[in-house]
Amino acid sequence: MTATLPPMLVLLPGMDGTGTLFQPLLDALGPSTPVQVLDYPSDRALDYPALEERVWQQIPRERPFVLLGESFSGPIAVGIAARRPTGLIGLVLCSSFVRNPRPALAPLAPLLKFMPLQYLPSWPMDALLLGGFSTPTLRNMLITAVARVAPAVLRLRLREVIGVDRCQALAALEVPLLYLRAREDRLVPPQASALIQLLRQDVHLIEVDAPHCLLQAEPMKAAAHLQQFMQMLQQTGHDWQSSTG
């Protein structure tokens, strides 16, 4: 590994898996931050273990990197970090979870295979993911990204969220952890980040006035926090505990 290279930010996408929704963040980060955007197949229903293996094959091998798991991808990011890849210097979870964030919905899992996702109106998705931060541009981005994914793929990803539990893996991690929490998140409740704080008391939690799609609605704020986190990780002899408070 070439330690002199600046760390790369590796982005794992939300439920859509396309990676296209990272564009506002990429624009905000600018060319000074090396970024790798990973995506998931839109036509193959892969479970969490299969997606984790796909990510494992693509992470950087020759330079340090910070791994960010957005929403659905949080458990994948934790799973990758638990395998202690060479070069991983930091982990970021954004609007994410390590265990089903809506446990009351678990009994509905068998019904997911009957959900006609391709016929659902766009307004519930807009309300849940963007809320009062919705704009025509963001709505179109979201609708376009989700439309690219086969309904069967989305259904499996929803079932995976219901059954996931990466609590033990997160608790065992020692890599510095940043959590970006959206104050106006209507999808992932505060209990999800509270659990992460319980498991990792050293987590650096930052709250942003944003909806679930934090990286899309407030890309400049998100970029600033991510760049600050990466800069701190680069500092020689940096005491993470003292800086996060």
Side-chain angles (χ1 to χ4, degrees), residues 2-235:
T2 308
T4 56
L5 290 173
M8 176 172 283
L9 179 62
V10 179
L11 302 176
L12 306 185
M15 180 74 71
D16 66 289
T18 65
T20 60
L21 294 175
F22 284 129
Q23 192 56 53
L25 178 64
L26 298 179
D27 293 339
L29 288 168
S32 63
T33 303
V35 179
Q36 179 185 14
V37 177
L38 300 186
D39 60 13
Y40 308 140
S42 60
D43 57 350
R44 285 191 292 148
L46 302 179
D47 59 13
Y48 267 139
L51 291 173
E52 180 182 317
E53 189 58 34
R54 177 184 171 92
V55 171
W56 179 258
Q57 298 299 326
Q58 298 180 72
I59 57 175
R61 305 295 177 185
E62 302 298 328
R63 68 187 303 162
F65 69 99
V66 172
L67 186 62
L68 183 150
E70 180 188 27
S71 187
F72 169 81
S73 284
I76 297 175
V78 171
I80 293 292
R83 297 166 71 168
R84 301 181 182 273
T86 301
L88 180 66
I89 62 171
L91 177 64
V92 182
L93 300 178
C94 179
S95 303
S96 194
F97 48 86
V98 290
R99 192 164 64 194
N100 180 3
R102 296 286 182 181
L105 298 180
L108 301 179
L111 302 179
L112 288 176
K113 61 182 178 181
F114 301 111
M115 288 182 63
L117 296 178
Q118 66 270 40
Y119 301 119
L120 293 179
S122 61
W123 66 262
M125 180 173 62
D126 184 39
L128 276 175
L129 303 183
L130 295 172
F133 295 79
S134 180
T135 66
T137 298
L138 288 177
R139 279 197 301 275
N140 289 336
M141 284 181 58
L142 194 58
I143 292 170
T144 301
V146 173
R148 291 176 54 183
V149 188
V153 173
L154 290 174
R155 282 193 289 267
L156 177 62
R157 290 176 186 171
L158 286 170
R159 289 200 300 272
E160 288 296 291
V161 168
I162 288 174
V164 75
D165 190 336
R166 294 286 188 274
C167 291
Q168 186 174 355
L170 182 71
L173 292 182
E174 297 179 355
V175 65
L177 175 63
L178 170 66
Y179 188 97
L180 296 178
R181 190 176 89 81
R183 289 196 180 99
E184 303 300 323
D185 196 332
R186 296 177 178 177
L187 191 62
V188 176
Q191 290 88 335
S193 56
L195 175 60
I196 289 171
Q197 285 183 294
L198 181 66
L199 296 169
R200 280 287 305 268
Q201 296 182 12
D202 61 333
V203 60
H204 184 29
L205 187 144
I206 293 177
E207 295 188 323
V208 179
D209 286 321
H212 181 74
C213 290
L214 185 159
L215 302 178
Q216 293 73 32
E218 291 291 356
M220 295 299 294
K221 292 180 181 178
H225 290 306
L226 290 171
Q227 288 170 332
Q228 182 183 37
F229 179 62
M230 295 175 74
Q231 288 168 3
M232 286 193 292
L233 293 176
Q234 283 183 274
Q235 294 176 8

